[in-house]
Amino acid sequence: MKKILLVHTGGTLGMSGRRPDALKPGSFFRTVRERVPELTELASLEFEVFSNIDSCEMQPELWSKLAERLAKRLPEFDGAVVTHGTDTLAETACALSFMLPGLKKPVVLTGAQRPLGEIRSDARLNLIDAVTSAIHGPREVTVCFDSHLYRGNRVRKVSIAEYDAFDSPNHPVLGTLGVDARFSEGVAWEGRFKLTAQLDPRVFLLRIFPGLDPAIPMAILPRVKGLVVEAYGAGNFPSSKELGRSLTPIFERAKDLGVPVLVVSQAHRNGVDLSQYESGNAARTHGAISGGDMTVSAAVVKMMHGLANHSGDALRKYLERSVAGERT
Ligand code: ASP
């Protein structure tokens, strides 16, 4: 029997209590044994409580500790399942994928929209599918939800109340868990596994919208080490001087301050191409880096990871290339 480590971090999956009261983290593993006894027929499981938090409390310091924990324990196991709240599950999956490069074991994150202890909970199937994916799925960080397995750093949360809570707009699923469970190949890792658990959270995400006063991001720039711009379409933003709202000076100032700027798109499908329109071109001239088809979450977390581990040209190259399959 394969050995799977089940690490609980919290979230709705393990909560108890009646809605509309706030759901509180409950005694998770007892409920797992009661509600999903067949998990022990699938694999030899070891349970570990890492934390018991609503995932809105997840922070980079916890990501680093979780990555260290997994790196330490995984040699004894064939794979791991991490149970997590859905709100920041995408960010945690991104962080783990960047901190555990060259991973040769499956690490599968899952959660639920309804607690395991409740009738019609999606937690039961998600847990069974996640353990199945940790046994047979690709050797990388993935997210298993609603009968699908996704590349971890490609997902975004798209639903608050439907069971298909995640999608992966720019990457095909890595597995479908229907009557049969089918999986595709994972990341083709170059190089050996290396834990890089450091992150620098001094990052700011600027979402462009009509009417944005450039003075606001300008005032923020000196306080950040990296800027992610969530631009329009192919990587566009207002650059006309007419109404005093050109954002081009933000890119100029960032360059002067040595703050790397990574541009991703508000459009979920396809990727940024800064050469396509005038404003994107101006940003490129001032050193902005195209985030391609990365999700916003992947761009923010990759910036944190890049800042802590690289600088100068090496940081630019790190942001531009695919590290863990996060960009095409
Ligand atoms: N607020 C919860 C969390 O992210 C939602 C969930 O688990 O689905 O922890």
Side-chain angles (χ1 to χ4, degrees):
M1 236 188 195
K2 292 271 176 114
K3 279 186 78 184
I4 302 296
L5 177 67
L6 204 157
V7 182
H8 184 54
T9 68
T12 297
L13 184 142
M15 289 179 181
S16 58
R18 288 193 167 273
R19 287 176 246 198
D21 297 342
L23 295 169
K24 301 240 169 50
S27 172
F28 176 58
F29 294 129
R30 199 186 54 236
T31 318
V32 171
R33 284 201 190 88
E34 281 166 18
R35 304 292 280 204
V36 209
E38 65 269 54
L39 275 186
T40 52
E41 289 172 34
L42 281 176
S44 162
L45 288 180
E46 189 174 317
F47 294 98
E48 183 168 321
V49 178
F50 173 78
S51 60
N52 206 353
I53 55 169
D54 186 300
S55 79
C56 64
E57 304 295 349
M58 192 46 85
Q59 296 292 348
E61 293 77 7
L62 291 173
W63 290 337
S64 298
K65 278 195 189 137
L66 182 58
E68 282 162 3
R69 194 77 205 132
L70 287 167
K72 188 165 177 224
R73 301 261 11 232
L74 268 172
E76 304 160 45
F77 293 87
D78 295 293
V81 170
V82 177
T83 48
H84 199 288
T86 57
D87 289 345
T88 60
L89 189 144
E91 283 79 3
T92 298
C94 289
L96 291 178
S97 79
F98 298 135
M99 292 190 289
L100 301 168
L103 186 73
K104 303 289 182 332
K105 307 236 169 123
V107 170
V108 187
L109 283 87
T110 195
Q113 297 286 60
R114 226 178 139 91
L116 181 59
E118 287 188 8
I119 293 167
R120 290 192 55 254
S121 170
D122 54 333
R124 217 178 104 74
L125 189 59
N126 285 349
L127 274 172
I128 292 171
D129 285 347
V131 171
T132 304
S133 302
I135 296 168
H136 301 291
R139 299 181 303 165
E140 61 175 279
V141 176
T142 54
V143 170
C144 187
F145 222 94
D146 193 40
S147 307
H148 293 94
L149 188 73
Y150 304 96
R151 174 156 295 158
N153 51 37
R154 292 285 195 150
V155 297
R156 54 185 191 135
K157 181 172 175 175
V158 289
S159 175
I160 298 162
E162 312 301 329
Y163 285 157
D164 53 346
F166 291 91
D167 76 359
S168 169
N170 283 320
H171 199 274
V173 293
L174 292 179
T176 47
L177 295 105
V179 173
D180 298 312
R182 296 179 198 282
F183 299 101
S184 49
E185 289 292 309
V187 171
W189 295 112
E190 292 163 17
R192 298 166 55 137
F193 169 67
K194 184 168 177 274
L195 170 72
T196 50
Q198 302 79 8
L199 296 160
D200 186 340
R202 289 172 294 175
V203 172
F204 190 74
L205 170 63
L206 175 64
R207 185 179 163 99
I208 310 293
F209 58 91
L212 172 63
D213 178 356
I216 298 170
M218 202 56 116
I220 288 168
L221 265 185
R223 301 189 54 184
V224 302
K225 294 283 172 223
L227 180 68
V228 176
V229 175
E230 193 182 350
Y232 302 136
N236 308 312
F237 53 86
S239 59
S240 153
K241 293 201 175 87
E242 250 169 62
L243 290 170
R245 293 211 185 89
S246 168
L247 293 173
T248 310
I250 303 293
F251 293 88
E252 291 168 6
R253 183 84 181 113
K255 192 178 180 195
D256 291 346
L257 291 169
V259 173
V261 181
L262 185 59
V263 183
V264 286
S265 181
Q266 294 175 16
H268 303 300
R269 287 204 297 274
N270 314 127
V272 159
D273 177 359
L274 293 177
S275 66
Q276 218 172 320
Y277 294 95
E278 205 184 315
S279 59
N281 250 311
R284 202 165 55 134
T285 312
H286 297 301
I289 302 160
S290 166
D293 62 354
M294 271 192 283
T295 63
V296 178
S297 302
V300 169
V301 178
K302 191 177 181 184
M303 180 65 90
M304 290 185 193
H305 190 254
L307 286 169
N309 294 285
H310 306 278
S311 60
D313 215 39
L315 173 59
R316 163 177 283 273
K317 289 206 175 93
Y318 179 79
L319 294 171
E320 276 172 348
R321 71 183 167 90
S322 168
V323 172
E326 74 283 2
R327 60 184 290 169
T328 307

